[in-house]
Amino acid sequence: MSSNMLEIASVFMFFIGFYGVITSKSIIKSIVAISLMEAAVVVFFLSFGFIDGIMPPIGTDLVNVADPLPQALMITAIIIGVAVTAVNLTMMISLCRQFNTMDWDDVRKDTE
Amino acid sequence: MIGTGFILPIFIFFWIIGAVLIVKEQHIHRLLVTLGIFSCISFACYLLLASPDVAMAQAVISVFATITFIVAFEKYYKYADRSVIQAKPSMVKFLAPLCFCIVLAAMFIYFIPDYPFATALRDQYVSMFKTDIGGENAVTAIYLGYRLYDTVFEALILLVSIMAVIHLSHYKDLAAPRGMPSEIQNSDIAAVTIRLVCPIMMLLCIFLIANGHISPGGGFQGGVVAASLFVCRYMIHDLYDIPIVQVINFEKFIFVGIVLLGALFIYLSVQTYFPINQTAYLVAMNMLIGLKVACGFLIVFYRFIAFERR
Amino acid sequence: MLSFFPTLPIITAVFLYVFPFKKAGKAIAILAQMALVAASFYLFFAVRQGDIIDPIGNYDGVLGVILRADTLAAVFVALVAFIFFVAALYRFHEDDGKLFWFFLFIWQGLLNGIFLTGDMFNRFVLIEVVTVVVSVMIMFNRDNRSQYDGLLHLMVNTVAVKFYLFGIGFVYRLTGTLDMHAARVALAQIDNSSLVLPFALVMTAVTLKCALAPLFSWFPKAAGTPGASTVVSTILSGLHIKSGIYMFIRFQALFGEIDASGFFLIIGIITGVVGFMWALSQSDIKLILAYNTISQMGLIIAGLNLSDNYAHVGSIYHVINHTLFKSALFLCAGLVAKAYGTRDTSEIRGVFKRMPIVGAAILMAILGITGTPFFNGSISRYFILSGAGVATTGAIMLINLGTILVFIKYSIMLFGQPKPGQGAVPIDNFKKASVLILGILCFAGGIFGEELIRFLFNVTASVDAAGYFEKTIFFILSGLAGFLIYKYYLKTSKLLAKVRQVEIGFRSMCTLMGIFFAVLLIATHLIV
């Protein structure tokens, strides 16, 4: 599988997530859809320079290895994603307690 | 890796199918389980893309997050189901966003530049990291050495989001009140299983942290595994005996420790003036990050089980 | 040395959280703020000798993260230090608790980091952290409305940042570096048609961060939410939003080969007009100020995209001026709202009688923001207009007329008689000092405009007396017109009531983001 194919796959994933973001009624589904967009970005970064038979950048004899920089960046991105998700969920639960709903439209109506 | 040639496309295909299922799902419980499966496929994809460090981070975090989600949301299933009760969306409301996204994706793919990947920096990293930072894992060398500045802010976002989780919660207290009733049902099977699993997890955690600089893994992954130990413990025993206020303060000290150690080694480069082994720095830093992450995730889990699900 | 600016406030924050001293804690906070003001002034003068480059860890080339300070960054850092110092002064006698100060200090450190970093991925990390911090600050008091606003802010910004991340991924793939300086050199070698996609992705996120049309709806919710503390709204509207402008300048320079200034000029003007329309339709003083900020953002972006050097300098000077007068207005609005117990403009009367010093500060800030001669707004607007063509001049005049209209409506509350039973309001000296400093700076920025521009940006720009006189005539005419329109049309207008009804939720915001991305993609494709 060439890196070009992987890029196209990650673009599809990105817009599947985006579809979830623009259509989901429930707040929790929006949060999950955002994490799909993030997964797309991760695969996009990891696909840089990918060819069949490439090795991880670990060990003593490093020939034909993948780029370590996107991997380090994506670990950071994953951790950030989890931290933001945790905050999102707490906010959502707190909102849910007040309005007794997880629905964007209902919450919006209630705040007016 | 051997054989990625035809395995990877299969996993990528299931990966996209999984995402479609998640977007289509209406029921929150099934949504969370599907998310767990999706994370599992993501793990396999990252592994086949020759990035075991990312894969491991994804694996431990998805295990932890899925359990936390499911535990925390038991109470809220009824609210989330409201969208199911509503009438099915009309054809226009279903098709219009779909077409919009397809058009966007098509435009996106049309404009993807067909330049080859610029490999200069990769070659530089691969050839230099052993002398500059040490260790045998280039990924660890980057996030503990070359780009430690990012890692400091990554630790900061954990710290900030924990404070946010505590402050934004409905309940003001830091720790669960004394004598809070336990919700744990005593099950012998769970107890026996967890007694078997816990030592293995502990070993795994120590292995990941101590060997982070020569093999896949590191502080983050090991830290999440350590936090998962407490998740396991929660299956047979409640967590209210943990001194959570001290853990919250301890986490701050560890953060300061990360900043100071990083400043000493990366910014001031003390290893050039004193005979300090670089490996010692890598292990110490991985240990600090592991402690920080373990504390952070423990606090999040504690908050969710002690407060958010009440 | 540069890494001192982000880390010192963060370490102070952690220190003050773990060891909460009662009185001493506040003294330490103020001292740390003073140290930062001093350090930022030192940086400001040090940058005169040339850009400061601070590679963290002294690795070869672009292997590590490289911090970079030039004149622009130094000005922004000085602005951050100054505004946070004023904010700390303002809150000195309040009992905020340690958590508030914790987040405030971290916010400051992160803003410094955003202005000083030269690395694209590092900027992503900082943006994510600052988004979480701002969301927490918005919903800090946790009433219903601000919880929704905080969640919306966090989620919309998270989606936008994914576009940004995708964009810098492409930049890395094309150039093999994440350092902006090196990437600019490398991108200049690549033909423009390959840069369309990264440019559109990054700029979509930056547009949202600048609160430009059509992606502005998160901003008034965040800055105008009733539950947020005054200081939070002040910093958000005065300072935080400027990090978007800064990113706009940086990323436009990064993609130097793509000249999309025509597109963003139009976007800026639309933003200016839409912003004042919405501002006019509101009656909540905080929301009026928040929507007015959007209108001013549009003006700044329009100025930045004029192909004239003076207009650029004028825009950046307007960024500083806007920070000063908008901070003054927000801080005073907090005091007024507290004294009257309401935020509705139609119920507040006689601020001058009850709080003369606050009234004076509000008046000076209003004179500044409307571009009255001899105040700072007039100087920056003069320079922006000096680079504009006929059509653009007309559009900017229209935005200015809108601003005047908004502030005619706003200033009514200064005059008149307070309701019986509303006597003079005691205000502590720290608060008086903080609003007066800002108000007087608005005046000083006008009187010493040329000198300040030379001092801040090392650019000699002279104000032509005849041209300035001409602008003054325009100002008086538009002031008169504004007064007449307000008196005979706006008070009875139905259009504004309809404008107020428009409410944009999360899904619509994200859809608009997608549409904007598509339009930008096509527009960029047509340009190259």
Side-chain angles (χ1 to χ4, degrees), chain C residues 82-141:
Chain C
F82 177 69
I83 294 293
F84 271 87
F85 176 66
V86 172
L89 217 57
Y90 181 88
R91 293 306 279 186
F92 190 73
H93 277 305
E94 306 277 322
D95 191 22
D96 281 317
K98 56 181 184 178
L99 203 58
F100 187 84
W101 287 88
F102 174 79
F103 282 121
L104 205 63
F105 267 96
I106 287 186
W107 194 357
Q108 180 176 15
L110 294 170
L111 281 179
N112 279 339
I114 289 176
F115 291 134
L116 289 177
T117 186
D119 191 274
M120 284 178 276
F121 188 80
N122 187 239
R123 189 161 281 148
F124 155 78
V125 177
L126 290 163
I127 289 170
E128 282 282 55
V129 190
V130 90
T131 308
V132 173
V133 171
V134 171
S135 309
V136 178
M137 288 304 254
I138 291 169
M139 47 200 292
F140 200 79
N141 297 333

Side-chain angles (χ1 to χ4, degrees), chain B residues 133-209:
Chain B
I133 313 287
E136 285 176 9
N137 184 342
V139 181
T140 312
I142 289 174
Y143 77 74
L144 294 185
Y146 295 116
R147 301 186 70 94
L148 186 83
Y149 192 64
D150 279 349
T151 310
V152 167
F153 287 106
E154 191 183 338
L156 181 70
I157 198 174
L158 268 178
L159 191 142
V160 164
S161 52
I162 284 154
M163 298 314 291
V165 165
I166 292 171
H167 180 72
L168 301 179
S169 154
H170 185 73
Y171 296 93
K172 282 276 180 199
D173 328 335
L174 284 180
R178 274 175 184 285
M180 213 167 91
S182 170
E183 290 174 338
I184 310 299
Q185 289 137 6
N186 283 321
S187 147
D188 287 341
I189 300 176
V192 169
T193 319
I194 282 160
R195 250 179 234 138
L196 281 175
V197 168
C198 270
I200 300 172
M201 284 180 69
M202 238 176 253
L203 269 181
L204 176 67
C205 162
I206 294 166
F207 173 81
L208 283 180
I209 291 180

Side-chain angles (χ1 to χ4, degrees), chain B residues 100 104 107-122 124-125 128 132-133 145-150 152-154 156-157 159-161 163-164 166-172 174 248-249 252-253 255-256 259-260 265-267 269 271, chain C residues 1 3 6 10-11 14 17-19 54 56-57 59-60 62-65 67 99 102-103 106 110 119 121-122 125-126 128-129 132-133 136 139-140 142 166 170 172-178 190-191 194 196-197 201 511 514-515 517-518 521-522 525:
Chain B
F100 176 57
L104 276 184
M107 279 169 66
F108 197 115
I109 290 168
Y110 174 75
F111 282 110
I112 287 181
D114 55 347
Y115 259 76
F117 172 51
T119 54
L121 197 64
R122 175 183 76 184
Q124 212 178 346
Y125 273 125
M128 310 245 326
D132 277 352
I133 313 287
Y146 295 116
R147 301 186 70 94
L148 186 83
Y149 192 64
D150 279 349
V152 167
F153 287 106
E154 191 183 338
L156 181 70
I157 198 174
L159 191 142
V160 164
S161 52
M163 298 314 291
I166 292 171
H167 180 72
L168 301 179
S169 154
H170 185 73
Y171 296 93
K172 282 276 180 199
L174 284 180
I248 292 171
N249 277 339
K252 308 277 182 302
F253 283 113
F255 175 73
V256 175
V259 174
L260 288 183
F265 271 81
I266 302 300
Y267 198 67
S269 332
Q271 69 273 31
Chain C
M1 175 220 152
S3 50
I10 292 170
I11 296 288
V14 174
Y17 181 83
V18 182
F19 305 106
D54 183 7
I56 294 197
Y59 298 111
D60 292 352
V62 290
L63 285 176
V65 177
L67 305 190
L99 203 58
F102 174 79
F103 282 121
I106 287 186
L110 294 170
D119 191 274
F121 188 80
N122 187 239
V125 177
L126 290 163
E128 282 282 55
V129 190
V132 173
V133 171
V136 178
M139 47 200 292
F140 200 79
R142 309 196 21 215
F166 226 125
F170 274 113
Y172 178 69
R173 206 196 81 177
L174 289 171
T175 65
T177 173
L178 286 165
I190 292 171
D191 72 283
S194 302
V196 172
L197 186 60
L201 282 166
T511 316
I515 293 171
F517 169 67
L521 204 54
I522 292 169
H525 178 61

Side-chain angles (χ1 to χ4, degrees), chain C residues 344-425:
Chain C
D344 195 339
T345 37
S346 57
E347 289 177 25
I348 303 174
R349 288 288 179 274
V351 173
F352 258 127
K353 292 233 166 64
R354 293 185 72 193
M355 311 184 256
I357 289 187
V358 174
I362 295 183
L363 191 65
M364 277 194 268
I366 286 181
L367 292 178
I369 203 169
T370 48
T372 316
F374 307 117
F375 280 84
N376 56 0
S378 67
I379 304 286
S380 46
R381 218 158 280 185
Y382 168 82
F383 283 120
I384 292 176
L385 280 175
S386 71
V390 179
T392 327
T393 307
I396 291 176
M397 282 297 185
L398 179 67
I399 297 173
N400 203 20
L401 177 66
T403 312
I404 291 173
L405 274 174
V406 170
F407 281 97
I408 286 175
K409 183 175 172 183
Y410 192 80
S411 63
I412 301 243
M413 72 179 195
L414 290 177
F415 309 104
Q417 288 295 332
K419 283 180 190 156
Q422 292 180 330
V425 186

Side-chain angles (χ1 to χ4, degrees), chain B residues 217-275:
Chain B
F220 292 110
Q221 293 89 337
V224 185
V225 172
S228 309
L229 269 173
F230 289 96
V231 178
C232 283
R233 184 173 177 266
Y234 172 73
M235 308 267 172
I236 47 173
H237 192 281
D238 61 33
L239 291 179
Y240 305 139
D241 52 343
I242 291 173
I244 203 75
V245 181
Q246 281 85 329
V247 176
I248 292 171
N249 277 339
F250 181 61
E251 200 221 351
K252 308 277 182 302
F253 283 113
I254 304 261
F255 175 73
V256 175
I258 291 173
V259 174
L260 288 183
L261 189 63
L264 277 180
F265 271 81
I266 302 300
Y267 198 67
L268 300 174
S269 332
V270 285
Q271 69 273 31
T272 51
Y273 311 115
F274 299 99

Side-chain angles (χ1 to χ4, degrees), chain B residues 41-93:
Chain B
I41 303 172
S42 302
F43 161 76
C45 292
Y46 301 163
L47 195 61
L48 292 174
L49 286 169
S51 19
D53 285 272
V54 186
M56 205 167 297
Q58 173 71 31
V60 289
I61 281 174
S62 68
V63 167
F64 185 86
T66 311
I67 294 175
T68 314
F69 277 11
I70 290 178
V71 167
F73 281 100
E74 268 177 308
K75 203 188 146 199
Y76 300 96
Y77 291 162
K78 60 175 191 282
Y79 301 134
D81 271 348
R82 195 172 291 184
S83 51
V84 179
I85 297 163
Q86 281 169 359
K88 249 193 145 176
S90 62
M91 217 50 188
V92 177
K93 278 202 170 167

